[in-house]
Amino acid sequence: MLSISKIAFFIPATPFLAACLILILLISFNRTVNRLSKPVTFIIVNSVVLPTLVAMFLSFKHLYGEVVNSSINLFGLHYLINLKLDSASEISIIFIGLISLLIMILSYVRLPRQKGYVRYFISLGFISSILFLVVLSNDFSYGFLSNF
């Protein structure tokens, strides 16, 4: 069976990778991707559905633990990455995922498919990924502030 670190790592990574993929396609094929608003919406929405379902699965199985514990040297700063999955973070991930899905579905229904529509959904994917990452890292500010 897969360990908790291999499963829970995909919670913040899935929306980030999907948004990066769509962003690269948007930069490369601007006019074509702007016309394909429904597939872009489908990809971004499913990239948020998957982590929400994974968090629900982990919550039902009561699987908790440490996801990632490493350090990075970036521009001369030593940054500690410590991602933990506990019951509060699982519930928060489910809540954030459901709210993000509600925003995305309402945006799909109500917004016209104009020029900034694809960029809007890319930003929603990045925001969802950042929120999932902040919830998983209990000491997010501590690792950054310890450098100063």
Side-chain angles (χ1 to χ4, degrees), residues 44-57:
I44 297 292
V45 167
N46 282 329
S47 73
V48 175
V49 167
L50 183 64
T52 306
L53 291 177
V54 167
M56 285 181 185
F57 172 75

Side-chain angles (χ1 to χ4, degrees), residues 9 17 23 38 64 93 115 119 129:
F9 176 75
L17 292 176
L23 181 64
K38 289 183 182 179
Y64 310 119
I93 288 172
K115 190 174 183 179
R119 285 183 291 183
S129 175

Side-chain angles (χ1 to χ4, degrees), residues 88-139:
S89 63
E90 286 177 349
I91 292 170
S92 299
I93 288 172
I94 293 169
F95 182 72
I96 289 171
L98 292 176
I99 296 297
S100 298
L101 287 172
L102 180 66
I103 291 170
M104 289 180 186
I105 290 171
L106 286 175
S107 298
Y108 175 74
V109 171
R110 303 290 275 170
L111 289 179
R113 313 292 187 274
Q114 292 179 349
K115 190 174 183 179
Y117 181 81
V118 173
R119 285 183 291 183
Y120 172 69
F121 265 87
I122 290 171
S123 65
L124 285 178
F126 280 128
I127 289 170
S128 298
S129 175
I130 289 170
L131 288 175
F132 288 152
L133 186 65
V134 167
V135 167
L136 278 177
S137 61
N138 295 333
D139 54 355

Side-chain angles (χ1 to χ4, degrees), residues 59-76:
S59 179
F60 290 141
K61 294 289 183 178
H62 300 291
L63 296 175
Y64 310 119
E66 193 169 271
V67 179
V68 176
N69 189 7
S70 64
S71 63
I72 295 176
N73 277 332
L74 190 64
F75 302 119

